[in-house]
Amino acid sequence: MRVIAGSLKGKKLAPLSGLAIRPTADRVREAIFNICAAHISDATILDLFSGTGAFSIESLSRGAGSAVAIDSSVRATAVIQKNITACRLNEQVKIIKWDIVNNLNCLRGVSHRFDLVFMDPPYNKNAVRPALENLAACGALADEALIIVEHAPAESIPGDLSGFELIDQRKYGKTLVSFITGVINI
């Protein structure tokens, strides 16, 4: 796994091993960044179910301002820290160990709002709906934030979530990528 573009192009990232880990394929990550390129410059990034931190690192490599990477796994947060340190991004990335499915209270009271959110929850674990509900409830989204959800086609984006609008979906093999926007008024 490598950084695809930007100031860190080609930088190798440490993997997170294990059967439950499903890192985003480089071609899918590249397609996602081609689609959301206009939203990256100086953006504040929220990387949920962060895994290796690849989305945060790729965003910063392409000109984002800062990122918060959240994962519930101690192993994942250790790998994120290793990758952030190797890329010399410690000042730009905050890493939080937190269970996103239960709530996102770790983001309450943050001084900034997130412009771009990436969610890559475990497939077919019914994590998409609670993660989106918790994202809305935490009040940390900027107006018209772009939320990108990588998920299994069988786990659809709920159409009844207030404040969100599904604007596009792209299928890449067994991966569905949904692009959501909205203004959250909680």
Side-chain angles (χ1 to χ4, degrees):
M1 206 169 39
R2 296 183 185 276
V3 177
I4 298 165
S7 63
L8 296 167
K9 181 179 180 177
K11 179 77 173 168
K12 188 174 180 179
L13 300 177
L16 184 59
S17 59
L19 297 175
I21 305 307
R22 179 199 33 79
T24 302
D26 284 353
R27 72 178 185 89
V28 175
R29 197 163 15 109
E30 184 172 17
I32 288 169
F33 276 96
N34 287 341
I35 293 167
C36 71
H39 298 271
I40 300 286
S41 184
D42 294 320
T44 303
I45 307 297
L46 179 59
D47 189 358
L48 300 176
F49 306 96
S50 190
T52 63
F55 186 81
S56 295
I57 294 166
E58 187 77 40
S59 298
L60 293 165
S61 178
R62 293 172 183 242
S66 64
V68 173
I70 303 176
D71 202 289
S72 63
S73 164
V74 171
R75 285 181 45 229
T77 55
V79 169
I80 296 165
Q81 184 62 62
K82 181 177 181 178
N83 285 329
I84 296 303
T85 300
C87 294
R88 299 182 180 164
L89 296 171
N90 288 312
E91 297 298 315
Q92 292 174 274
V93 181
K94 179 177 183 173
I95 302 167
I96 300 172
K97 182 192 171 300
W98 197 268
D99 187 349
I100 298 154
V101 174
N102 285 333
N103 64 56
L104 277 169
N105 291 345
C106 61
L107 297 176
R108 290 199 182 268
V110 294
S111 60
H112 53 270
R113 299 291 178 244
F114 297 99
D115 306 298
L116 183 59
V117 179
F118 184 75
M119 284 180 30
D120 188 6
Y123 281 15
N124 299 313
K125 300 289 184 185
N126 297 316
V128 172
R129 175 183 281 280
L132 285 170
E133 289 172 343
N134 293 335
L135 184 59
C138 77
L141 290 177
D143 287 346
E144 300 179 21
L146 179 63
I147 302 130
I148 300 166
V149 184
E150 184 180 336
H151 57 103
E155 191 171 2
S156 63
I157 299 297
D160 61 344
L161 291 177
S162 177
F164 291 115
E165 180 184 359
L166 178 64
I167 56 173
D168 194 4
Q169 285 187 317
R170 307 284 174 100
K171 190 165 193 251
Y172 304 95
K174 295 180 180 180
T175 298
L176 188 59
V177 180
S178 297
F179 297 84
I180 302 166
T181 191
V183 178
I184 307 301
N185 295 316
I186 302 268

